[in-house]
Amino acid sequence: DNAADYRFDTNKIVVSGASSGGHLALLAGLVNSVPESHPHYVGDEIRIQAIINWYGITDIEAIEAYLSTESQNTNFVLDWVQEKDKVAEISKKYSPIHYVTENAPPVLSIQGDLDSWNPHSQALMLHKKLEDAGTENQLLTLEGGTHLGFTEEQFQLIFKTVFDFLKAHP
């Protein structure tokens, strides 16, 4: 609403976040590209230009299943939802993967292949769906990377990749 006052170009909005912030960045960017799916979070006239997802959850139901069967970590999904029988309903409404269309903005995901909180399979699922929809996307998989556990060399590669991605989507 105040973009003109602050000389803010609403045609150049990129959303980014890590972990739960990656989930929210994906959700904000993807939901806004699906007409009439929800009230538009960033305004009807604004289109997110790109999304940078740092190991964010893409499918709540799949991450809950992973945490309840394959992970030694706390099942944070059940901590949020409280009732296991509501996970599918919440997932359908709040999982970014359900909002992928050909209208989605370009997405760059950064994901370690050894992330035990949000497994690499989450990013693979999202990028397969983006690819199937014909949406421009890039997945940077970091070998040996965990949940924000990257080497200095990996961080250098990450930032180079992010800046190259942003240059390609001005």
Side-chain angles (χ1 to χ4, degrees):
D1 290 341
N2 297 305
D5 294 341
Y6 294 104
R7 298 183 191 149
F8 188 80
D9 187 347
T10 59
N11 294 312
K12 294 186 177 184
I13 296 176
V14 174
V15 290
S16 178
S19 192
S20 60
H23 170 251
L24 293 174
L26 286 165
L27 196 58
L30 294 172
V31 164
N32 215 46
S33 69
V34 179
E36 301 175 18
S37 65
H38 282 347
H40 289 251
Y41 297 129
V42 293
D44 291 332
E45 309 304 316
I46 296 174
R47 176 164 160 65
I48 300 297
Q49 289 303 113
I51 302 167
I52 301 172
N53 164 38
W54 295 67
Y55 45 88
I57 294 169
T58 63
D59 185 328
I60 295 169
E61 191 169 20
I63 194 76
E64 192 285 320
Y66 163 79
L67 291 169
S68 68
T69 60
E70 299 179 41
S71 176
Q72 301 301 313
N73 297 320
T74 302
N75 191 331
F76 54 83
V77 173
L78 288 183
D79 289 344
W80 299 336
V81 176
Q82 299 291 311
E83 300 173 41
K84 191 169 181 89
D85 63 339
K86 299 227 183 240
V87 171
E89 174 188 346
I90 298 287
S91 183
K92 185 172 170 105
K93 194 171 184 180
Y94 297 107
S95 291
I97 201 157
H98 296 301
Y99 297 99
V100 171
T101 70
E102 68 278 356
N103 297 321
V107 177
L108 166 63
S109 289
I110 299 148
Q111 183 76 42
D113 67 347
L114 297 181
D115 189 333
S116 64
W117 286 98
N118 183 40
H120 187 246
S121 60
Q122 287 275 305
L124 291 173
M125 255 190 309
L126 174 68
H127 284 273
K128 167 96 173 79
K129 192 152 186 179
L130 288 163
E131 188 175 290
D132 290 348
T135 299
E136 188 176 342
N137 70 90
Q138 184 177 349
L139 171 57
L140 176 61
T141 298
L142 299 149
E143 191 173 317
T146 61
H147 204 72
L148 189 57
F150 305 117
T151 67
E152 180 62 31
E153 293 79 22
Q154 287 174 325
F155 273 115
Q156 294 299 320
L157 174 61
I158 290 167
F159 288 116
K160 180 186 181 327
T161 304
V162 167
F163 288 121
D164 289 347
F165 181 78
L166 291 173
K167 284 178 194 171
H169 303 94

